[in-house]
Amino acid sequence: MKNTWHFKILIRLYLARVFQWLGQQQEIYYVGSSEALPPPLSNDEENDLIERLGQGDGQVKSVLIERNLRLVVYIARKFENTGVGIEDLVSIGTIGLIKAVNTFDPHKKIKLATYASRCIENEILMHLRRNNKTRSEVSFDEPLNIDWDGNELLLSDVLGTENDIIYKNLEEEVDKKLLHQALLKLSGRERRIMELRFGLNNGTEKTQKEVADMLGISQSYISRLEKRIIKRLKKEIHRME
Amino acid sequence: MMKEAIKCVFCCSSIEEKNFGIVILGKYICADCERKITHLTGDDPNYDVYQGGLKRIWFNEA
């Protein structure tokens, strides 16, 4: 007696198929199978099952789902032009149908097929949106172009940070060391002028006039000295490289 | 002869009356998996598992 509950459900489902066969209704088949899908419920059948669902009879859910599987196929076919395979659309739609039967409120005056259609369509649309989102994400290894020799130009080949920040920082570090060594070759006054003018040693940059006032010499002399010192620094750095 | 136990196509747990969920095209889904499917969101990591399982049911491969 204990094990008879599932036989009852199976008998109910198979009887539905036998009635469909006897009625010679238009048949829709399983994906990849010659077995026909159960036909939709008649109004009376649906009302009866929904009443029982409202009374808490969970076993009628299977019948409601199976007898609405054609609806899943019908809606899935509307999305066939999206590039998603019909088998995926049908399985996603079935998730929508299971959600529909489990969340259907029999007290609301709405047909199950209407509610289920929305759930199935929503489920498929949600999947398509999710897929589109993924499609807009591009891999760094995405080939942008392939030349005649078959060499791929990857997205990562053309990507860089603003002015190649990483390399720039490294190069700046090297330049700073060279500059520091070159500065050591200058006389005390020349080094002081450079430090004041360019804010070396964490100071602030000063104008030629300010430096001239600080050292008690003319601005034009500072200008001439600066040019000469920079020329010499360049030469020293070039020698060290 | 021993009667073969009915198993859920997703979690393979034995299905008894107390955890019976639904039957789709002759395949059993336990109440727990049915509840999980009902509450599936698009970003759920298990979404593809359930979708793939239902696909196998449709393809009669489960």
Side-chain angles (χ1 to χ4, degrees):
Chain A
M1 193 67 187
K2 240 178 165 180
N3 293 325
T4 55
W5 57 272
H6 66 270
F7 288 117
K8 281 183 196 166
I9 293 164
L10 285 180
I11 288 166
R12 211 175 287 161
L13 293 170
Y14 286 128
L15 274 177
R17 288 188 201 156
V18 169
F19 287 134
Q20 176 218 349
W21 180 74
L22 289 173
Q24 291 183 331
Q25 296 186 36
Q26 191 197 357
E27 291 180 337
I28 293 179
Y29 296 89
Y30 291 33
V31 180
S33 167
S34 58
E35 207 171 334
L37 286 174
L41 291 163
S42 69
N43 278 344
D44 288 343
E45 282 175 323
E46 188 177 305
N47 290 339
D48 176 48
L49 290 171
I50 285 170
E51 200 184 314
R52 287 167 58 187
L53 183 69
Q55 289 161 358
D57 183 356
Q59 294 193 353
V60 298
K61 284 191 288 184
S62 297
V63 184
L64 288 170
I65 289 171
E66 280 219 336
R67 302 287 287 268
N68 278 288
L69 286 176
R70 286 171 178 234
L71 186 63
V72 175
V73 177
Y74 175 76
I75 295 170
R77 280 188 176 155
K78 289 203 289 184
F79 294 93
E80 266 186 309
N81 61 349
T82 54
V84 180
I86 187 72
E87 64 277 18
D88 282 322
L89 292 168
V90 161
S91 52
I92 293 160
T94 310
I95 293 176
L97 176 62
I98 295 170
K99 286 181 179 179
V101 170
N102 275 287
T103 56
F104 182 68
D105 184 354
H107 304 295
K108 287 190 179 164
K109 296 289 169 210
I110 179 173
K111 271 184 76 78
L112 174 67
T114 312
Y115 179 69
S117 298
R118 274 188 217 154
C119 292
I120 295 164
E121 212 166 291
N122 279 350
E123 198 68 27
I124 294 174
L125 286 170
M126 185 182 73
H127 174 83
L128 294 174
R129 273 196 290 270
R130 201 171 61 236
N131 254 19
N132 281 343
K133 211 170 145 190
T134 321
R135 222 175 278 162
S136 65
E137 290 166 6
V138 186
S139 164
F140 281 139
D141 296 324
E142 180 92 14
L144 299 175
N145 197 10
I146 301 172
D147 66 14
W148 291 107
D149 299 325
N151 300 313
E152 288 180 338
L153 176 69
L154 304 180
L155 180 61
S156 56
D157 294 333
V158 295
L159 276 182
T161 47
E162 185 90 10
N163 289 331
D164 288 332
I165 292 166
I166 310 288
Y167 290 119
K168 204 178 167 191
N169 284 346
L170 289 170
E171 285 168 2
E172 273 178 3
E173 280 301 313
V174 174
D175 287 347
K176 272 184 197 168
K177 274 184 192 160
L178 288 172
L179 180 64
H180 182 72
Q181 284 169 5
L183 281 168
L184 293 173
K185 307 254 175 177
L186 301 177
S187 69
R189 192 172 73 161
E190 286 172 331
R191 201 180 310 134
R192 179 108 176 101
I193 290 169
M194 287 294 104
E195 283 170 359
L196 291 169
R197 278 288 291 126
F198 299 102
L200 305 176
N201 295 334
N202 300 325
T204 52
E205 292 179 16
K206 294 195 164 42
T207 63
Q208 286 183 345
K209 180 78 174 72
E210 285 171 331
V211 177
D213 290 346
M214 286 172 82
L215 299 179
I217 48 177
S218 71
Q219 186 252 317
S220 60
Y221 187 46
I222 287 290
S223 175
R224 283 200 302 280
L225 277 177
E226 191 182 301
K227 272 183 199 156
R228 200 194 306 157
I229 297 165
I230 289 172
K231 209 171 169 184
R232 193 173 151 204
L233 282 174
K234 274 184 186 169
K235 216 181 270 179
E236 290 291 342
I237 288 170
H238 188 67
R239 200 179 297 155
M240 285 187 277
E241 277 177 338
Chain B
M1 199 171 77
M2 276 273 286
K3 207 169 131 315
E4 204 178 320
I6 304 160
K7 288 186 187 295
C8 170
V9 281
F10 291 110
C11 66
C12 295
S13 63
S14 291
I15 294 182
E16 290 160 28
E17 193 162 5
K18 60 177 192 287
N19 70 337
F20 173 75
I22 45 174
V23 185
I24 298 181
L25 302 175
K27 304 294 175 192
Y28 289 82
I29 298 172
C30 73
D32 196 30
C33 288
E34 183 197 2
R35 194 170 45 249
K36 284 176 185 164
I37 293 172
T38 306
H39 296 103
L40 265 185
T41 54
D43 54 0
D44 193 311
N46 288 322
Y47 194 95
D48 291 344
V49 174
Y50 290 108
Q51 190 220 319
L54 287 166
K55 199 156 90 174
R56 284 199 302 279
I57 290 175
W58 274 92
F59 268 98
N60 222 357
E61 290 170 357

